[in-house]
Amino acid sequence: MAFIDNIIHGKGLKKSVNSEKYSNDKLPWYTKTTVFKYGNFGIFMFGIIVVAALVAGARIYQGLYGFEHGLDSMSQGFQDYWMTLVKAELIGIFSFNVVLWLYLWYSRERDMDNVKPEVELKRYINLVLWILSYTFIVYWTTSYFAYADGAWHQTVLRDTSFTPSHNILFYGCIPLYLTFGVGGFLYAMTRLPSFGRAISIAYTFAVLGPALILPNLGFNEWGHAYWMTEEIFSHPLHWGFVVLGWNALAIGGVLMQIVIGMSKSFKKINSKFADNSNSEFTENL
Amino acid sequence: MKINYTKLLKIFLISIFYFVIDMVVAYAHGEKAMEPYFRTRTVMFYDVTWSTDNVKVGENVTIEGKFRLHSDWPQAVDDPDVIYVNQSIPGPVFAKIESYLNGVPARQSFRDMEVGKDYHYKMVLQGRVPGNHHVHPGIAIKGSGTIIGPGQFIKVSGSQKDFKFPVTTMDGVLIEDLETYALADVFKWHSTLAILGIFWLLWWVWRPLLIPRYQALKQGREDLLITRLDLTVGILLGVFVFVAIVYNYNVQANKYPITVPLQTSRMYTDPLPVADPQIKINVSRAEYDIPGRTMRMWVEVKNNGDNKVRLGELTTANLRFINKSFGHAMNNVTANYPSEHMADGGLEIDKDKYINPGESHKMFITAQDARWETERLTAFLTDVDARVGALLFFYDEEGNRKILDVASSILPVFTDDDGTGPSYQRIGR
Amino acid sequence: MSKSESRSFFGKIFRMRSEDREILKIVGLNKEQAGLARYFDFLVVAAAFLLFCGAFHLHVMLSAGDWDMFIDWKDRQYWPLIIPIDTIMFPAAVQAAFWYYFRLPIGATLCGVCLLTSVWIGTYSYWHLWTMFPIVLNVPSIIIAGCILLDVILLIFRRWIFVACIGAPLFALTFYPSNMAALTGYYVPVEHLGSMASMADVIGYTFPRSATPEYIRIIETGTLRTFEGTSVWVSGVFAAFVCIFLYMLWWQIGMAFSTVKTWSQSPKLKKYLGFKG
């Protein structure tokens, strides 16, 4: 049950472990592990399982109803199976996003100047877990379901912006990676002094770039409506997605900020730790 | 918490099963989303036949027919300078065996097609994936995409596993199945390189990585981060990869001594020789009655030929309106022609008669069908190019056919037949 | 971080070396911190793998994807030109970040392995299972060989300018042979409808893509001079030339993206977060 408790309460609270039921020597073995001590791995895994289930569900849905109801956007089947899905995705995921983002803001750290280095380290690991879940859904979106889009469009005639491949890729996956992209950004800003004191340019790019793929759809569909009804995948019409995708490289800057931040926390705990982080990087942190 | 592993396994297996199965029942291919000027004034298909509507996996079906490139070619569609004899099927459920345009193999695209002229196409498809598939011929126009002809359901029965596509190369080697040809080489080489790449990644990832390396580097201890051993392993790996490329490249070159590059010639064919129909048509007005779902046309037909002619059919956007009281027109409809492309009410002609040589005859044509709306052809009312085109089939007394392509501006009529007044809300749907 | 050395084969290769212990010592990590740093490493490795599987594949798919996706686009003029030019961008940027901050010469190989992984997963799951094409039609290109060479050149010369001038041309020039080491069979001649065609042409024709007519292919239509019959190497050398400069540019882009820079935070927001002053 400790595992479930961890998922519900998070390890930061250690409710399950600190309860009177457990005496010190009866603590489960995993409470001594790094994974347990730093960061909410349980919640992270829960999120990953949910996303993986959604991805598997989407793939199965495409396999079942893609060719059966997805070929003719004027048919009733298309309205029932595909347009309903789009509405459900947009409403469902965005309302969840708003609730999550508001929660992250309202549960923010209110005394950033006095965050203990141990707590800070836990939060750094949590931030990395946020980023890992972001990259998890980014993979499914920009590789897996984007390839599905290629396969679909080369195979059948494009007759709507809401093809079975777009409905998963653009209206399901992109809102979902916003959940983790913006969520992680807010988490960092509201809990970690180094991300709260000043706005990380790299993190802003890493979140905003991929997020702007959704508005870039306007250019894409405009082009397909007026000039290009044929599918050359490397057509300049698609290069907006490419340039926005490059911003994912800015995760490198976020990584560096975390490396430097964690080094500083290490130094605060352990005076032997030789922190030589370059001052030109760290003046603002 | 006890986990029921049997149950988890079951769920997992069911998920895998859904990943693997494919349900293939396909209807239209999105041609309804094409604007009406596309479908009524570009490639006009006629005389389409499907040799059968039921094949086993590995059996052939032949699709044949003609098309005319409409003289009133829309501004928005690129000129048919380059075209390809295409098909519209839901994925490679059929393998394409042969295709021809005017008898010339249509392996590649054709150049310099002439508007106002007729062409004959033929393609042979072989059943590959079981299911009930809608099969259309199509003509792809470079820059504007594929214009789809009429579709027919063709049932493919059997099992996909039985599909084999043998090919014999020019140096006499028989390849038993094209679908798996030379894949073993690909898998072997790709996995070799992948293993080398993963080895190189693991070599570095296995050691203290980010924070320790960063801080050691800041202390100037690059000597600890990249050792002699690393350098040796790196150089050995680089040399090995280079040698492996050269070796495998040569192995393949010896295995396949004769190779050719991809082939890209553009083909050309003259249009079909079609005699001048010697009929002049002047469309004085065309209307579309929205509540009545009816197209009306006032035309004046001048017969300049030597034989009497009579109007038998109007066809547009793969929708055929037949003059049902005219035997020759009815004879032109093949028995198994898909009913979804036949207008139920047919073509109604006021003052329907044989037009004598030299006579000029005014006619009023009515083409009523709900398909104007269900096929989304009424979108010409919201288009920038509110014109409609069609093919008209005339027959003389012996049944000889003369085909004319006509086009005209079309005017919407918003009033109901019973005179209840305009219903503008129907516009712009 | 245990000191016990495993006797297994992999244990021998990937054991902790004395230099590695020295690193931990001079950095001064205590045992718990070393464990935490290791945990952090693994999380970042996983994130980097997923990120490049996604972002790099998207980049290749939408800027050179057709040549990568279809066997009947893999010609002599554009394929050995466009794919190396397109695929050197991410490896250069990732090499920059990993090399400059960590002295890890793995950026290019990481990109190559990620691309191959995601392309094969996508090909199998969608092109093959969903839209039912045989895998022969969608055999992808592979860049790992060039990537390894790029990393090794970086390891040997340790300066980006040398990698740009030696590694990048090598990356471009090895692309064609390292792919033809598996694909030569697709270019054997076949008599097809009365004319000669390569097997790749026949595959593309036989398994039709309804929205991809033949004329859509951007492939060689014939060289104007014969170049001793080796026009493919002319493309390779041109690719090598472009790759040199693209490598330089993308190294700088990689550096820019991995630099820690900040904008100032609004004072009001800082107050909400409890910063003083």
Side-chain angles (χ1 to χ4, degrees), chain A residues 100-226:
Chain A
L100 180 76
W101 298 339
L102 283 176
Y103 167 78
L104 284 170
W105 171 250
Y106 282 109
S107 61
R108 69 186 177 273
E109 173 65 56
R110 283 152 207 269
D111 187 13
M112 281 285 213
D113 279 339
N114 299 311
V115 180
K116 282 187 195 148
E118 291 85 356
V119 177
E120 217 176 336
L121 280 174
K122 278 177 196 166
R123 289 180 181 174
Y124 273 120
I125 293 296
N126 274 338
L127 175 60
V128 179
L129 292 174
W130 271 104
I131 292 173
L132 183 52
S133 34
Y134 180 47
T135 56
F136 183 70
I137 181 68
V138 161
Y139 161 69
W140 293 109
T141 312
T142 59
S143 168
Y144 191 71
F145 288 117
Y147 222 37
D149 195 40
W152 182 262
H153 286 310
Q154 309 282 355
T155 309
V156 302
L157 204 81
R158 177 191 289 261
D159 74 329
T160 168
S161 303
F162 297 97
T163 54
S165 50
H166 282 191
N167 289 354
I168 303 294
L169 172 64
F170 290 130
Y171 312 108
C173 285
I174 293 187
L176 200 60
Y177 76 50
L178 284 178
T179 312
F180 295 102
V182 178
F185 185 83
L186 282 176
Y187 182 90
M189 201 167 84
T190 54
R191 281 154 177 81
L192 281 162
S194 64
F195 282 84
R197 193 171 290 127
I199 299 168
S200 165
I201 295 180
Y203 210 170
T204 313
F205 273 67
V207 172
L208 268 189
L212 288 177
I213 283 179
L214 198 55
N216 183 63
L217 203 54
F219 172 47
N220 184 54
E221 294 303 328
W222 180 83
H224 280 297
Y226 284 107

Side-chain angles (χ1 to χ4, degrees), chain A residues 1 4 56 59-60 63-64 67-68 71-74 144 155-157 159 227 229-230 255-256 259-260 262-263 266 273-278 281, chain B residues 1 15 18-19 21 23 25-34 89-92 140-146 148 210-211 214-215 218-219 376:
Chain A
M1 286 320 284
I4 301 289
R59 176 64 184 87
I60 292 165
L64 289 177
F67 279 102
E68 193 177 349
L71 288 167
D72 183 6
S73 62
M74 302 295 155
Y144 191 71
T155 309
V156 302
L157 204 81
D159 74 329
W227 351 297
T229 51
E230 290 170 311
L255 167 71
M256 286 322 298
V259 166
I260 293 164
M262 282 178 72
S263 296
F266 279 166
F273 183 81
D275 182 16
N276 287 300
S277 301
N278 197 335
F281 297 145
Chain B
M1 196 175 76
S15 316
Y18 276 109
F19 268 88
I21 63 160
M23 291 186 68
V25 181
Y27 296 92
H29 293 111
E31 63 268 33
K32 285 182 198 171
M34 282 191 148
I89 48 178
I141 295 166
K142 190 175 184 185
S144 297
T146 303
I148 298 177
L210 299 169
I211 296 177
Y214 176 72
Q215 293 299 347
K218 286 291 165 205
Q219 295 181 27
R376 237 185 118 263

Side-chain angles (χ1 to χ4, degrees), chain A residues 62 113 143-144 154 230 234, chain C residues 57 66 125-126 212 215 276:
Chain A
Q62 280 180 331
D113 279 339
S143 168
Y144 191 71
Q154 309 282 355
E230 290 170 311
S234 32
Chain C
H57 188 200
D66 306 87
S125 180
Y126 278 108
T212 314
Y215 57 70
K276 292 182 186 70

Side-chain angles (χ1 to χ4, degrees), chain B residues 138-323:
Chain B
I139 296 297
I141 295 166
K142 190 175 184 185
S144 297
T146 303
I147 291 150
I148 298 177
Q152 159 89 306
F153 275 106
I154 296 179
K155 191 168 178 215
V156 180
S157 50
S159 159
Q160 197 185 339
K161 283 195 188 98
D162 300 335
F163 183 84
K164 290 270 181 299
F165 198 90
V167 176
T168 309
T169 67
M170 279 172 82
D171 37 6
V173 181
L174 174 74
I175 290 145
E176 281 177 10
D177 190 5
L178 188 61
E179 292 201 15
T180 52
Y181 172 64
L183 274 184
D185 288 345
V186 173
F187 292 147
K188 219 161 66 189
W189 178 238
H190 280 203
S191 46
T192 308
L193 285 180
I195 287 167
L196 290 173
I198 290 167
F199 164 77
W200 185 240
L201 294 179
L202 289 181
W203 179 262
W204 294 94
V205 166
W206 230 249
R207 308 171 53 192
L209 206 60
L210 299 169
I211 296 177
R213 285 185 82 91
Y214 176 72
Q215 293 299 347
L217 186 62
K218 286 291 165 205
Q219 295 181 27
R221 296 302 303 272
E222 200 174 326
D223 59 314
L224 291 177
L225 301 184
I226 297 171
T227 61
R228 276 190 92 77
L229 182 65
D230 296 330
L231 199 61
T232 317
V233 169
I235 291 170
L236 284 178
L237 181 71
V239 170
F240 181 77
V241 166
F242 195 82
V243 171
I245 294 171
V246 175
Y247 175 76
N248 278 290
Y249 180 67
N250 283 311
V251 165
Q252 287 267 308
N254 292 330
K255 190 172 169 189
Y256 306 103
I258 303 167
T259 57
V260 291
L262 299 180
Q263 302 290 305
T264 49
S265 38
R266 286 266 191 276
M267 320 298 275
Y268 177 76
T269 171
D270 284 324
L272 291 178
V274 176
D276 180 6
Q278 296 181 307
I279 297 172
K280 273 268 174 265
I281 292 197
N282 178 25
V283 183
S284 46
R285 186 182 175 87
E287 275 181 2
Y288 181 73
D289 176 357
I290 295 160
R293 295 171 168 186
T294 307
M295 187 181 75
R296 304 188 195 113
M297 247 185 198
W298 286 262
V299 294
E300 186 174 356
V301 183
K302 174 95 196 288
N303 184 1
N304 296 324
D306 303 327
N307 299 316
K308 295 199 274 188
V309 291
R310 184 177 166 190
L311 178 58
E313 180 175 342
L314 181 148
T315 178
T316 186
N318 302 326
L319 199 52
R320 299 176 69 180
F321 295 88
I322 312 281
N323 182 354

Side-chain angles (χ1 to χ4, degrees), chain B residues 84-138:
Chain B
Y84 182 65
V85 179
N86 206 353
Q87 69 295 313
S88 185
I89 48 178
V93 290
F94 290 89
K96 188 153 72 170
I97 312 289
E98 294 167 13
S99 57
Y100 300 93
L101 188 70
N102 288 355
V104 180
R107 214 168 62 72
Q108 278 152 339
S109 307
F110 285 79
R111 65 180 163 82
D112 299 330
M113 306 289 282
E114 292 174 45
V115 255
K117 300 292 169 113
D118 296 62
Y119 294 86
H120 171 269
Y121 61 87
K122 179 184 167 185
M123 64 183 83
V124 180
L125 304 177
Q126 190 172 87
R128 179 168 172 258
V129 180
N132 201 13
H133 311 298
H134 215 198
V135 181
H136 308 247

